Each structure stands twice: as C-alpha cells, then as structure tokens.
Amino acid sequence: MSSQIKAESARRRTFAVISHPDAGKSTITEAIALHGQAIASAGAVHGKGDRKGVVSDWMSMEQDRGISITSAALQFEYRDCVVNLLDTPGHADFSEDTYRVLTAVDAAVMLLDAAKGLEPQTLKLFEVCRARRIPVITFINKWDRPAKDALDLLEEIEERIGIKPTPVTWPVGIGGEFRGVVERMAIAGSKAPGMVRYERSPGGQQLAVTEALDADEAESRFGEDFTRAVEESELLSEVEADFDQKTFEAGQTTPTLFGAALVHFGVGQLLDLLVDIAPSPFAREDVHGEPRELEAGFSGFVFKSQANMNASHRDQLAFVRVCSGHFERGMQVTQAQGKRTMSTKYAQTLFGSSRGTLEEAWPGDIIGLVNASGLSVGDSIYAGRQVEFPPLPAFAPEHFGALQMHDTSKAKRFRRGISQLDAEGVVQVLYSDRRGEATPVLAAVGPLQFEVTLARLAAEFDVPAAIDHLPYRLARLTDAEGAKRLATAPGVEVFSRPRDGAHLVALPNKYRIQTIVNDYPGVKLEPLLAGGQS
C-alpha cells in the first residue's frame, strides 16, 4: 500500500486560481476544464441565450452578477494525472474563503489582466502564497485586447512583488493583435517550434485552433511581429529569465505565460505546464510542526463547508483536503478536535455543483463528505495514528448588521438558516443581551457578505429578511469578566459568538479602544488574529 500511495500522490496536481476581480478566474477555470476534456463546451461568466454559464459559478447570485462568491472544486483526469482545481472568489469581501482554499493547495495560478497589471487583491493573495510557500505560475490574460507592454509587465511583477518572472511563452503581436506565442521551453514533450499560432473557434465554446510553425514560416507570415518576439525572447535569456524548477519551487521565480482565456489562447499550454512542473502532494506539518508522511494513515482537514449546492440535494457538504494515506468510502474516521468517530458512507467527488459517488481518494484529492455531523471548517480528521493540522485563517470583521426577519412565523426556519450559514463561515453570527436571541448580529469582512446572506436566506430557506447596519468597524476579544464590565459601556456593544463561545466587543473606531482601556483598567481587549482563536 505504501508504494501505491506514493504512486497515486505523484499523479496529483492540486492548485488554485487567484486574482483580482474581473481578471478572468472563472473563465480560465472553464477553459482549463475544456482543455482537460472534463466538459464538452465552455460556458460564459454571463451565460446568455443558448450558452450556459461556467461550471464553477453555480450560485444564482454568481450567475446574475458575473462574479465568484464562493470557491468551487473541480476534479478531472488529464494525461496521466488527476487534476484538483479550485476556483476562488476574487472580491475582497470574500477573501476569507480564498485564504482558506490556499491552505488546501500545492500550487497557484496567478492571473493578471494584461491591461491593468498587478491589482490590489492580486498583491494580497500573492503575499499569502509567499507566506505559505506556495509556488506560483503567472498567466497574463486578455492579450487579445489592448494591453501594457509585455516587458513592462514583467518588470512590474519583479519590482512590486519581488519575484522574477521566467516566461515560458512569449507573445507574437502586441496586446490586441495577438498572433500566437513563441514557446521558450518545451511543454508536454513538444519540440518548442518557432511559433504556435492561435485562431479562435466559432462562438468561442470549443478549443482554439492551434498551428505549429517553424521559424521560417512564422517569419514569412508574421514578419516584424515574429522577429520582435524572437529578439525579446533572446533578451530574456541574456538576463537569466529562463525557467528553473528549483527557483520556481522555492518561490523565487514565477513561470509566466501569455494568453486569452475567453478564446482559449494559451490555456492548453498552461494546463500542460501545471502537469509538467507543479509539485505533487508532500508531507504536511501538523499543529506541532511535525510532518505527517504521505504513507501514514488517512488524514485530512475541512477547509470549506457548503449547503444547498444543488436543489436536488438539500444537505451540508464538507470539503476535505486529503493529506495522507488512502481514503475509502465508508471507513471510520476520528475528528481530532472532538475525538468523535464518524462514518464516511456518503463521500462524493466534486465538479462545481455536480457530484458523484467516491470510492477512494489519495493525498492531494479534494473530497466531499455529506452531512458529516459535527464537522466544522478547520477540523482535522484521521484514521489510525492521531493528527491535528494547524487552524485555518480567520479574519477580523469590519462590518456589522442586525438581522431582522419579516415573518415571525418562520422563526424556526430562520434560526436553522442562520446556524447553517454560520457553520459555513459565510458570516460570523453574534448575539447580545441588548438585542436578544430573536435579533442576531452578523459580522463580516465586507458588505457583500450581507447580500449573500439575505439572498440565500430567501432562496434556500424561504425567509425574507433585512439588515440594519450598525456603526461598528472593528472588534476585539474579551473574556467573561470583560464582557460583564463593558455591558453598559457607551458607544460599544458586547457580543457572544456561539460558534466557539468567544466574547467580542464591537467598537466604532480604534480611538475608542484607548478610551475603554483608560476607563476600564485591566479589561481584556485582544486583536482577532488570523489563524488563531478568532
């Protein structure tokens, strides 16, 4: 079994796609799935007419707005590998979901808009990858539209994030006049022809037409565009910007490709590159810093929980990253945090909102456990030797709102919906003595999380509700004594958080913290730190 675990682990490629909103994450996820023959035709972020939406954006709000609100997992086989692809939200309001996903992957694809370059959310997400030592491949997207100069984009990446781009492909033609690419290294065993020419398929739902041209033919057909591309490629070699596996895995360089996901230009090369160079699963450290070897007994952790993904399946799904060992459906596993034993009879594979029965899984795989009672985001599960993995990051809320339901006859349904969304981590649900249990207060990173909560309460639980925004902008942890002392303090509100029993103090601004410290000496006020008890 040990040799089989090693062999199966070596076949896995588990990665996330990250970027600023509107850079094309869902589009490139769809294009990768098409190239992997996991779907028959590519949908569009805004599905219109006969064209379907993208498989990774399955929520109605995502389809209506054309943005990713929740992360999605897609698994498919390509060449001799099993690809586990995680599409993440780009909007800052949903950062917590994205950051949790980044704990479950071995590599990331950083997507840049060719006209905009590095944008704020991309920079933040890259820093998370750097902190977690996640190797990053960069895909410069939308080269079929007017764009910045290619060399300027490379310089921007190196200067602003301190990582050296090593282009694997180089564009023939400026942004908006995309002819194809020069392959600067052999991908998937190719012989790196003079040029790969692209031609859009009718309607954009099928793979782009590609044609390999030798240098003489490419120069004959594309003249100065090809000559300039070759000269710039040679210049890159002179400044040592060629791909190197060791510096890539060390996070010092980022292999870079140019393409246009909407018309599938360069996406096949990206998928092949991921299979060729992305790291396979490795021994992950537990909460004590000790590595859990791949060949050890089964282990994994829950990085996401989602309910009602499919109207036909009104249930709760725990997303588990397999870290070690061999998983078999029906096996008994133990929850590290509560020491409870549970069955895994209802294990499933994931492909957007679609599911299939899962019989077995290996390190690197993402599996779904249906209605696994008691499992929460951040929980570790194992079989055999005990293990607990580090806690997942949690963000300090910056927006607070009192939730009011319109129809009190639906109180039971209301409570069930709020409890479920709290368990998923969509928002933090708080209660105060001042408002009572009938009026929970939602705490969120961004206001769009409130909109998602209201929409899902109405659509999934038939409970229309409204948000009354509160004047608080930050929170601090306190203890039972502090909660009692601050219960009547002016300008603040004390909350309990049922999820973990914590006491939080909500404040309007950072200056109020100092006055609280002065007026209530010795009271506990601690920041909510990512990954800790927050």
Side-chain angles (χ1 to χ4, degrees):
M1 179 59 72
S2 176
S3 60
Q4 188 175 7
I5 291 173
K6 286 183 178 179
E8 290 293 343
S9 299
R11 295 179 59 221
R12 266 60 186 176
R13 300 291 184 273
T14 305
F15 66 94
V17 181
I18 60 173
S19 81
H20 194 83
D22 298 323
K25 283 186 316 305
S26 296
T27 301
I28 202 167
T29 297
E30 190 83 352
I32 289 172
L34 180 66
H35 277 270
Q37 299 183 335
I39 56 177
S41 63
V45 171
H46 292 281
K48 296 180 180 179
D50 294 333
R51 190 162 183 187
K52 63 185 179 68
V54 296
V55 295
S56 59
D57 287 350
W58 52 269
M59 243 185 224
S60 58
M61 277 189 72
E62 293 178 310
Q63 295 164 357
D64 293 341
R65 296 189 176 211
I67 62 171
S68 293
I69 289 171
T70 185
S71 53
L74 289 79
Q75 185 187 75
F76 57 90
E77 292 201 24
Y78 180 71
R79 288 168 46 190
D80 190 36
C81 285
V82 176
V83 174
N84 291 282
L85 190 168
L86 293 165
D87 178 33
T88 65
H91 201 289
D93 287 12
F94 308 111
S95 295
E96 197 160 0
D97 195 5
T98 301
Y99 282 41
R100 289 170 181 165
V101 165
L102 288 174
T103 66
V105 299
D106 303 317
V109 173
M110 181 170 69
L111 201 62
L112 302 188
D113 185 315
K116 299 175 181 177
L118 283 167
E119 298 177 86
Q121 188 64 6
T122 313
L123 290 168
K124 291 179 182 179
L125 293 172
F126 175 79
E127 289 303 326
V128 175
C129 291
R130 189 201 300 275
R132 297 196 61 83
R133 301 192 297 274
I134 299 172
V136 174
I137 295 173
T138 298
F139 188 89
I140 297 177
N141 193 27
K142 303 184 182 180
W143 201 256
D144 58 332
R145 305 176 187 180
K148 292 184 176 182
D149 178 76
L151 290 171
D152 289 345
L153 283 167
L154 299 191
E155 185 177 2
E156 181 180 357
I157 293 170
E158 187 163 10
E159 287 185 353
R160 295 186 66 187
I161 64 179
I163 188 171
K164 188 180 185 68
T166 54
V168 173
T169 65
W170 193 252
V172 176
I174 61 173
E177 299 178 13
F178 197 14
R179 315 301 186 193
V181 294
V182 172
E183 285 194 327
R184 302 190 66 246
M185 66 170 277
I187 303 175
S190 69
K191 295 182 179 179
M195 173 182 168
V196 175
R197 182 185 72 85
Y198 299 133
E199 182 180 326
R200 179 174 180 166
S201 65
Q205 293 177 254
Q206 301 298 328
L207 297 179
V209 177
T210 61
E211 180 184 10
L213 307 176
D214 62 30
D216 291 339
E217 187 173 3
E219 185 173 13
S220 173
R221 292 173 63 175
F222 298 105
E224 290 184 4
D225 284 339
F226 176 72
T227 301
R228 182 169 57 251
V230 170
E231 290 174 350
E232 290 175 339
S233 178
E234 292 172 347
L235 175 63
L236 291 169
S237 295
E238 290 177 9
V239 297
E240 299 181 342
D242 295 331
F243 170 74
D244 179 78
Q245 184 74 28
K246 288 184 178 180
T247 56
F248 160 60
E249 292 183 357
Q252 298 168 358
T253 60
T254 175
T256 304
L257 304 93
F258 290 77
L262 187 63
V263 290
H264 313 300
F265 292 179
V267 178
Q269 287 147 313
L270 171 62
L271 180 55
D272 280 320
L273 187 68
L274 280 159
V275 168
D276 287 346
I277 72 168
S280 55
F282 52 88
R284 288 186 167 241
E285 292 184 353
D286 63 16
V287 71
H288 304 295
E290 297 294 326
R292 174 80 166 192
E293 299 301 328
L294 296 177
E295 301 84 2
F298 164 75
S299 70
F301 63 89
V302 180
F303 66 91
K304 177 179 174 62
S305 178
Q306 186 77 51
N308 305 330
M309 292 179 66
N310 190 314
S312 303
H313 303 283
R314 292 290 182 176
D315 50 25
Q316 191 92 5
L317 195 68
F319 288 60
V320 176
R321 154 73 191 228
V322 180
C323 297
S324 67
H326 177 216
F327 174 85
E328 294 181 280
R329 183 169 66 89
M331 72 188 301
Q332 295 289 311
V333 300
T334 301
Q335 176 197 33
Q337 284 72 11
K339 299 299 184 290
R340 286 174 291 187
T341 301
M342 62 190 69
S343 173
T344 58
K345 180 179 178 182
Y346 301 107
Q348 297 187 327
T349 58
L350 304 170
F351 194 84
S353 61
S354 301
R355 311 179 190 176
T357 300
L358 173 75
E359 295 298 338
E360 61 179 355
W362 308 88
D365 283 339
I366 307 299
I367 63 176
L369 296 181
V370 181
N371 292 338
S373 178
L375 273 187
S376 301
V377 172
D379 283 355
S380 302
I381 56 176
Y382 62 88
R385 181 165 57 89
Q386 179 180 343
V387 65
E388 181 177 346
F389 294 102
L392 300 190
F395 282 18
E398 299 177 13
H399 299 266
F400 300 79
L403 189 62
Q404 306 280 351
M405 61 177 165
H406 296 325
D407 186 351
T408 55
S409 68
K410 297 181 178 180
K412 185 176 181 181
R413 197 179 298 173
F414 176 75
R415 288 194 298 270
R416 186 173 72 249
I418 288 300
S419 176
Q420 189 166 285
L421 295 176
D422 185 28
E424 290 182 23
V426 174
V427 287
Q428 294 184 41
V429 180
L430 312 174
Y431 292 92
S432 72
D433 291 339
R434 184 186 306 179
R435 302 174 193 277
E437 291 188 3
T439 308
V441 167
L442 306 184
V445 174
L448 272 179
Q449 290 175 279
F450 292 155
E451 293 187 40
V452 171
T453 300
L454 294 179
R456 291 188 60 187
L457 281 173
E460 299 172 19
F461 300 94
D462 190 26
V463 183
I467 290 281
D468 179 17
H469 293 273
L470 302 179
Y472 309 124
R473 289 294 174 266
L474 69 156
R476 290 292 185 267
L477 280 169
T478 189
D479 52 19
E481 181 185 351
K484 186 176 180 179
R485 292 178 64 189
L486 297 175
T488 57
V492 303
E493 191 165 350
V494 178
F495 295 101
S496 61
R497 187 168 62 187
R499 184 194 301 178
D500 57 3
H503 298 282
L504 303 185
V505 182
L507 307 105
N509 52 57
K510 62 183 180 180
Y511 306 108
R512 188 71 181 99
I513 297 174
Q514 189 58 50
T515 60
I516 289 288
V517 171
N518 294 337
D519 295 343
Y520 300 86
V523 72
K524 178 182 177 181
L525 285 180
E526 294 183 355
L528 280 72
L529 301 177
Q533 56 185 328
S534 62

